[in-house]
Amino acid sequence: MTQYLTPTLTSRLPKVGTTIFTVMSALATEHKAVNLGQGFPDFACDPALVDAVTAAMQAGHNQYPPMTGVPVLRQAVAAKIEALHGKVYHPDLEITITAGATQAIITAILAVVHPGDEVVVLEPCYDSYVPNIELAGGVVVRVPLTPGTFRPDFAKISAAITPKTRALLINTPHNPSATVWSKADMLALQDLLAPTNVLLISDEVYEHMVFDGQLHESVSRYPGLAARAFVVSSFGKTFHVTGWKVGTVAAPAPLMAEFRKVHQFNVFTVNTPVQHALAAYLANPAPYLDLPAFYQRKRDLFRAGLAHTKFKLLPSQGSYFQCVDISEVSDLGEADFCQWLTREVGVAAIPLSAFYGDGFDQRVVRFCFAKQDTTLNAALERLQAL
Ligand SMILES: Cc1ncc(COP(=O)(O)O)c(C=O)c1O
């Protein structure tokens, strides 16, 4: 019998394995742990949104939409950005609908990064950024956010920028640290980038989860930043439908033209009925305007419960994450602690070291509080017994 062999290959991403989120979720299932690891809601979205998808399918919106996204959704997104941030994006030239923020980010990177270009990331950072840059042949330049506070260090960012720097990636509200950038941060960044040719990729997927009356400082509010930026959003985060994988990107027309060249031959476009449903649903701003209060209540419930544990709470200004210092609870490193917590205590968390290239361990882990109150209370009961 002929033996058919699978050719050997050299990995394009030799350092990439299974993500920590998948590993911890699998461990949580195996040990029947309360999963506060991976960042997704365990509650339903608004039934009206599901009805809107059904209605769109029944109305016959089931074939390919335009490559850039259905016009009504692009128009609704442009109107929303203008109403919230005062920035006018042209819906036909400057807004594209993507398969979630993840696809928007890799597409922006592939569109602008040439082999050998440097791209600055601020660590800790979301796990897709670095492999995306590597796939584009870019050189990853890691700048730490200030340990302890996770504030941007503009002197360090400035020092990292060279004539080879093509782009900088930022993320506010920030995963995993739950910090948000202030107006002063944005102005400092605008000044810093003004004399450079550096592009900005701004990951704003948690834009509607900013607490204590603070404002989300979108890059689109700052003309000097918006002129050089891809601003990325995610309907999955905002409307509790992470599995739908629909997001948007806004950028000046010349940048968007390049973005679309890659998008066209990557996913080409995003599923039609969901786009129509989102467009109809966006007519009412209440669901996203009410989101800060919705998540702030959950944050407060979770923090009040954690106050009766030995964890030291870090601030949670935005996103749906709460970080805690584990030093008083355990001598283990972050990753071992998370494994132990899942197996022995029955609560899954994510080590912050997973968001650093060198696995930097500062004894801090991340919980996700986008969960039903009963889930949060079940986790708190276990954590309080520690
Ligand atoms: C910072 C950040 N960016 C992007 C994403 C991905 O968003 P999407 O599900 O829309 O691809 C996530 C999801 O966890 C995230 O935390």
Side-chain angles (χ1 to χ4, degrees), residues 39 99-102 105 126 129 171 175 203 205-206 234 237 242 245:
T102 311
I105 294 164
Y126 186 59
Y129 301 166
N171 169 219
N175 176 13
D203 180 343
V205 300
Y206 300 104
S234 169
K237 304 288 181 191
T242 57
K245 297 298 295 181

Side-chain angles (χ1 to χ4, degrees), residues 241-256:
V241 285
T242 57
W244 289 12
K245 297 298 295 181
V246 182
T248 66
V249 59
L255 298 187
M256 188 53 86

